[in-house]
C-alpha cells in the first residue's frame, strides 16, 4: 500500500509540475483512452444483443440495414454538434460535455428500458436495434471533439511527435478492456457491459472538462 501511495503521489506531482498545455493534453488523452476503452464494452454488448435470436433481429438483412443507418445517424449527431459550436452555446467545452451526457443517457436509458420490456417482444427488439445503431454512431462524435482539442492545443511539431503515442495509449486501453469482456460478460452480463461504458464515459467527463478549464485559465482555450 505504501508503495502504491508513493507511485500515486509521484504521478500527481509530475502532472501538477508540468506546463499547463502538457497537463491539459494529458487530461484529454486520458479522457479519450477511457472513452475508447469503455467503447469496447458497449460494442461487444450491443453486438451480442443485436445478433441474439432472443433479443435481436435474426433476419439476414437486419445487420446490413442497421450498419447502413449508422452513417446518417452519425452525420445527424455531428450536425447537432456543429450547431452547438456555431451558436456559441458554451463553445466546444459545453458541446463535449453535452454530447458525452447524451451518450451516457442513451446507453443507460436503453438498458433500463430493456429491463422493463418483455423478453423476446418486438418492443425489446426495437430497443436493441436502436441501441446498436446509436452505439456505432456516438464514438465518432466524441473522439472527433477530443482529437480536435489536442490538435488545437499542440503545435504541428508537437502533434507529429505525440499523436501516435496518444493513439497508441487508446489502442492499448482498448486491448486491455477487450480482453476483459469475456470475464465481465459472464459476471455482469451483456447489459452490465453496456452500463460499464456509461461508467467510463462518466469518468472521462471531469478529465476532459479539466483540460478545457486549463485552456481557459492559461489562454490556449480552442474556443473560437
Amino acid at each position: 500500500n505504501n508503495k502504491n501511495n508513493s507511485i500515486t503521489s509521484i504521478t500527481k506531482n509530475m502532472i501538477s509540475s508540468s506546463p499547463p498545455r502538457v497537463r491539459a493534453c494529458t487530461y484529454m488523452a486520458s479522457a479519450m483512452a477511457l472513452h475508447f476503452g469503455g467503447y469496447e464494452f458497449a460494442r461487444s454488448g450491443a453486438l451480442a444483443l443485436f445478433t441474439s435470436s432472443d433479443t435481436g433481429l435474426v433476419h439476414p438483412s437486419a445487420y446490413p440495414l442497421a450498419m447502413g443507418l449508422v452513417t446518417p445517424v452519425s452525420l445527424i449527431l455531428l450536425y447537432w454538434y456543429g450547431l452547438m459550436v456555431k451558436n456559441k452555446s458554451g463553445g466546444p467545452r459545453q458541446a463535449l460535455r453535452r454530447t458525452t451526457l447524451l451518450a451516457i443517457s442513451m446507453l443507460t436509458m436503453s438498458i433500463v428500458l430493456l429491463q422493463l420490456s418483455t423478453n423476446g417482444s418486438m418492443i425489446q427488439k426495437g430497443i436493441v436495434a436502436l441501441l446498436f445503431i446509436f452505439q456505432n454512431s456516438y464514438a465518432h462524435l466524441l473522439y472527433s471533439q477530443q482529437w480536435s482539442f489536442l490538435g488545437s492545443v499542440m503545435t504541428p511539431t508537437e502533434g507529429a511527435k505525440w499523436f501516435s503515442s496518444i493513439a497508441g495509449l487508446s489502442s492499448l486501453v482498448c486491448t486491455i478492456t477487450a480482453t476483459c469482456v469475456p470475464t465481465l460478460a459472464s459476471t455482469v452480463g451483456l447489459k452490465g457491459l453496456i452500463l460499464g461504458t456509461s461508467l467510463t464515459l462518466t469518468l472521462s467527463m471531469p478529465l476532459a472538462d479539466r483540460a478545457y478549464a486549463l485552456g481557459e485559465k492559461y489562454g490556449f482555450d480552442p474556443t473560437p
Side-chain angles (χ1 to χ4, degrees), residues 53-195:
S53 58
D54 294 329
T55 58
L57 303 175
V58 295
H59 193 278
S61 63
Y63 183 80
L65 176 61
M67 292 305 297
L69 293 173
V70 169
T71 298
V73 172
S74 297
L75 291 175
I76 291 171
L77 291 173
L78 289 171
Y79 178 72
W80 173 54
Y81 161 72
L83 288 179
M84 282 192 288
V85 175
K86 183 179 180 181
N87 294 335
K88 296 183 178 180
S89 54
R93 182 180 184 180
Q94 280 291 341
L96 180 55
R97 184 183 298 166
R98 290 174 183 174
T99 50
T100 304
L101 281 172
L102 171 69
I104 295 169
S105 300
M106 290 292 289
L107 294 173
T108 304
M109 184 171 60
S110 296
I111 299 306
V112 172
L113 292 175
L114 285 176
Q115 283 293 103
L116 296 175
S117 63
T118 303
N119 191 39
S121 66
M122 288 306 298
I123 292 177
Q124 185 185 61
K125 292 178 183 293
I127 295 170
V128 168
L130 293 174
L131 169 64
F132 179 76
I133 294 169
F134 180 78
Q135 174 270 316
N136 281 280
S137 305
Y138 82 86
H140 184 73
L141 173 68
L142 298 186
Y143 80 70
S144 61
Q145 296 178 71
Q146 292 162 340
W147 272 120
S148 177
F149 176 88
L150 294 170
S152 299
V153 171
M154 291 187 187
T155 65
T157 302
E158 291 170 338
K161 180 179 180 181
W162 292 107
F163 279 176
S164 58
S165 297
I166 293 171
L169 172 64
S170 295
S171 298
L172 176 61
V173 174
C174 282
T175 301
I176 294 172
T177 54
T179 58
C180 295
V181 165
T183 302
L184 289 174
S186 63
T187 304
V188 300
L190 298 176
K191 296 171 185 175
L193 275 179
I194 296 169
L195 290 177

